């Protein structure tokens, strides 16, 4: 512990931003009281302001301030960076972007919109980089959707889409179609959403875009209560995600679990039971038992007493504690509101 502290103090005195970032987690974990933590964050913040590229360090500082329920302290640092960069048009744009991104990341979409608007004005009047203008329009759209102004989000994303198409930025063009599909789904226009998704899936794409397209496709089918097709789209997304990486796999898996939980809450046991084997077949570890256990749990909930024994047998084969915790939660009896009092 003392070695980490010594290294930290040295890096702080030398304003070695890369070293401070490297030591950040290890050092912060050694601090036991809040007052000391705040003092260290204040010192670190002052050093971060002088870094050539302060944004990764500011992000780490912001997360700690967020845990302390004091995110405004972190936002103040981003504002000070923006002020310092005002005389360099490119650096100023970068600083505004990271300030807006921080607002977005920490759940302040209105503030994010305000900052992205400033960035958009700067990009349109000063930098005149079409790709950056389109990216900012897309970020604005996502935040307008976040505050429930989905029609405004569609208008902005359409502007972004037109630019991406004109400058032949294929990947961002596809992403804009995905976002538009999701927005139209949210407004209940499933036909328009499906047409956009079909356009994405017809064109050359990378794996992550295809996976996200399948997730939106699943949303659309679920919105139409076509749950079998929703499960099919989710299975295709999960299969593709197994070869992409842990983060995207986790997103797809969590989406699938949320979908299954929603069906349990709606007592749609039959559709759950008949679709789980397709997911079980994708795995060679105890995740296969997990999905088969879900099928038996659904049959048990539906009134099949023999399914309880099969569920218990499969449950005993699941070793992953997180998967067991999901099954534990779902097998609990639902509380009835009619207590007869």
């Amino acid at each position: 512990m003392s070695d980490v502290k010594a290294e930290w103090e040295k890096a702080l005195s030398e304003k070695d931003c890369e070293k401070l970032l490297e030591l950040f987690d290890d050092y912060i974990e050694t601090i036991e009281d809040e007052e000391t933590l705040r003092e260290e964050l204040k010192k670190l913040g002052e050093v971060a302001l002088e870094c050539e590229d302060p944004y990764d360090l500011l992000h780490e500082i912001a997360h700690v301030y967020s845990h302390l329920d004091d995110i405004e302290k972190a936002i103040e640092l981003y504002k000070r960076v923006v002020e310092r960069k005002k005389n360099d048009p490119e650096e100023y744009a970068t600083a505004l972007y990271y300030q807006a991104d921080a607002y977005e990341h920490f759940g302040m979409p209105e503030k994010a919109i305000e900052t992205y608007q400033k960035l958009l004005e700067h990009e349109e009047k000063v930098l005149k980089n079409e790709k950056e203008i389109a990216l900012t329009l897309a970020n604005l759209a996502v935040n307008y959707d976040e505050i429930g102004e989905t029609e405004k989000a569609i208008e902005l994303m359409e502007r972004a889409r037109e630019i991406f198409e004109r400058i032949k930025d294929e990947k961002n063009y596809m992403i804009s179609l995905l976002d538009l599909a999701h927005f139209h789904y949210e407004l209940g226009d499933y036909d328009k959403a499906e047409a956009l998704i079909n356009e994405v899936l017809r064109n050359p794409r990378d794996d992550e875009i295809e996976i996200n397209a399948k997730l939106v496709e699943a949303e659309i089918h679920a919105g139409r209560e076509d749950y079998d097709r929703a499960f099919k789209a989710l299975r295709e997304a999960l299969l593709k995600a197994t070869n992409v990486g842990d983060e995207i796999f986790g997103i797809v898996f969590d989406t699938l679990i949320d979908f299954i939980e929603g069906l349990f809450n709606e007592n749609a046991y039959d559709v759950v039971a008949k679709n789980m084997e397709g997911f079980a077949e994708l795995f060679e570890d105890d995740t296969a038992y997990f999905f088969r256990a879900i099928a038996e749990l659904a049959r048990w909930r539906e009134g099949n007493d023999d399914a309880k024994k099969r569920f218990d047998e499969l449950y005993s084969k699941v070793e992953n504690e997180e998967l067991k915790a999901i099954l534990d939660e779902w097998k609990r009896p639902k509380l009835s509101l009619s207590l007869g009092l």
Side-chain angles (χ1 to χ4, degrees):
M1 189 173 95
S2 57
D3 288 346
V4 174
K5 184 174 174 58
E7 282 188 82
W8 179 266
E9 294 294 346
K10 183 172 184 288
L12 207 57
S13 65
E14 294 175 353
K15 299 179 180 177
D16 185 341
C17 299
E18 284 188 26
K19 189 66 176 176
L20 288 166
L21 187 60
E22 179 189 319
L23 294 170
F24 187 87
D25 288 339
D26 289 340
Y27 179 64
I28 292 300
E29 285 172 11
T30 69
I31 301 173
E32 294 180 354
D33 68 286
E34 187 176 318
E35 188 178 343
T36 305
L37 180 57
R38 286 181 177 274
E39 287 171 6
E40 288 297 328
L41 290 174
K42 187 176 180 181
K43 286 191 283 186
L44 180 60
E46 293 301 321
V47 170
L49 291 175
E50 298 186 43
C51 298
E52 187 177 335
D53 182 3
Y55 304 109
D56 287 344
L57 205 47
L58 288 182
H59 185 72
E60 297 296 337
I61 294 169
H63 270 283
V64 180
Y65 272 126
S66 178
H67 286 302
L68 294 171
D69 201 23
D70 196 5
I71 193 61
E72 282 303 325
K73 281 278 199 311
I75 296 298
E76 191 57 39
L77 291 171
Y78 283 98
K79 288 179 179 177
R80 288 173 67 187
V81 173
V82 169
E83 280 300 312
R84 286 178 177 229
K85 304 288 189 182
K86 267 191 168 174
N87 294 327
D88 183 324
E90 293 282 355
E91 288 291 327
Y92 178 61
T94 301
L96 278 174
Y97 165 75
Y98 279 105
Q99 184 187 340
D101 184 63
Y103 279 131
E104 186 175 349
H105 184 81
F106 292 104
M108 294 178 269
E110 291 92 349
K111 290 287 189 182
I113 288 168
E114 189 181 307
T115 311
Y116 279 128
Q117 290 283 17
K118 280 186 195 173
L119 176 57
L120 181 63
E121 186 178 339
H122 177 68
E123 286 169 342
E124 289 179 332
K125 290 183 177 178
V126 180
L127 299 181
K128 299 180 180 177
N129 181 314
E130 283 201 288
K131 179 175 178 177
E132 294 302 324
I133 289 169
L135 288 169
T136 301
L137 285 167
N139 283 322
L140 272 168
V142 169
N143 281 278
Y144 270 108
D145 179 61
E146 189 67 27
I147 64 171
E149 294 191 32
T150 306
E151 289 178 354
K152 176 74 172 175
I154 289 172
E155 175 196 324
L156 290 163
M157 193 62 77
E158 282 289 359
R159 286 174 60 193
R161 180 194 63 76
E162 287 167 9
I163 296 172
F164 290 135
E165 186 174 25
R166 186 169 67 251
I167 66 175
K168 294 181 169 51
D169 184 336
E170 180 76 7
K171 182 168 183 177
N172 281 309
Y173 174 71
M174 290 296 169
I175 292 169
S176 70
L177 294 183
L178 280 175
D179 284 325
L180 283 167
H182 178 70
F183 297 159
H184 283 291
Y185 156 79
E186 287 190 324
L187 292 178
D189 190 347
Y190 300 145
D191 290 345
K192 178 68 174 173
E194 188 170 41
L196 287 161
I197 286 300
N198 287 340
E199 185 177 345
V200 174
L201 292 172
R202 270 198 307 271
N203 283 280
R205 58 200 177 269
D206 67 21
D207 287 344
E208 196 165 330
I209 287 176
E210 183 177 358
I211 289 164
N212 280 296
K214 285 294 176 183
L215 293 182
V216 179
E217 186 181 39
E219 280 186 327
I220 295 163
H221 292 318
R224 290 172 169 154
E225 298 186 7
D226 189 343
Y227 298 131
D228 289 335
R229 290 181 73 189
F231 271 126
K232 181 176 182 291
L234 285 167
R235 186 185 186 280
E236 289 166 354
L238 195 65
L239 178 60
K240 180 69 72 171
T242 56
N243 299 316
V244 173
D246 290 344
E247 185 178 353
I248 192 74
F249 179 85
I251 290 168
V252 178
F253 193 87
D254 289 347
T255 302
L256 172 60
I257 295 304
D258 288 345
F259 180 53
I260 296 169
E261 184 169 23
L263 291 173
F264 266 109
N265 291 337
E266 292 175 20
N267 301 331
Y269 303 126
D270 180 59
V271 71
V272 172
K274 70 180 179 181
N275 278 287
M276 290 304 97
E277 186 58 29
F279 293 97
E281 289 169 354
L282 300 180
F283 298 93
E284 295 180 358
D285 60 8
D286 60 337
T287 312
Y289 299 126
F290 168 73
F291 282 111
R292 290 182 179 121
I294 292 173
E296 295 304 335
L297 179 59
R299 293 183 183 105
W300 176 19
R301 283 272 183 270
E302 205 171 22
N304 183 334
D305 292 335
D306 292 337
K308 182 186 184 308
K309 183 180 177 184
R310 295 194 296 270
F311 169 80
D312 289 338
E313 288 173 359
L314 289 161
Y315 176 87
S316 69
K317 295 178 181 179
V318 178
E319 296 177 1
N320 183 299
E321 291 301 325
E322 290 180 15
L323 298 182
K324 286 184 86 165
I326 293 168
L327 294 174
D328 287 338
E329 180 68 28
W330 290 355
K331 73 179 181 180
R332 288 193 188 112
K334 286 186 183 177
L335 292 174
S336 173
L337 294 177
S338 55
L339 301 176
L341 296 176

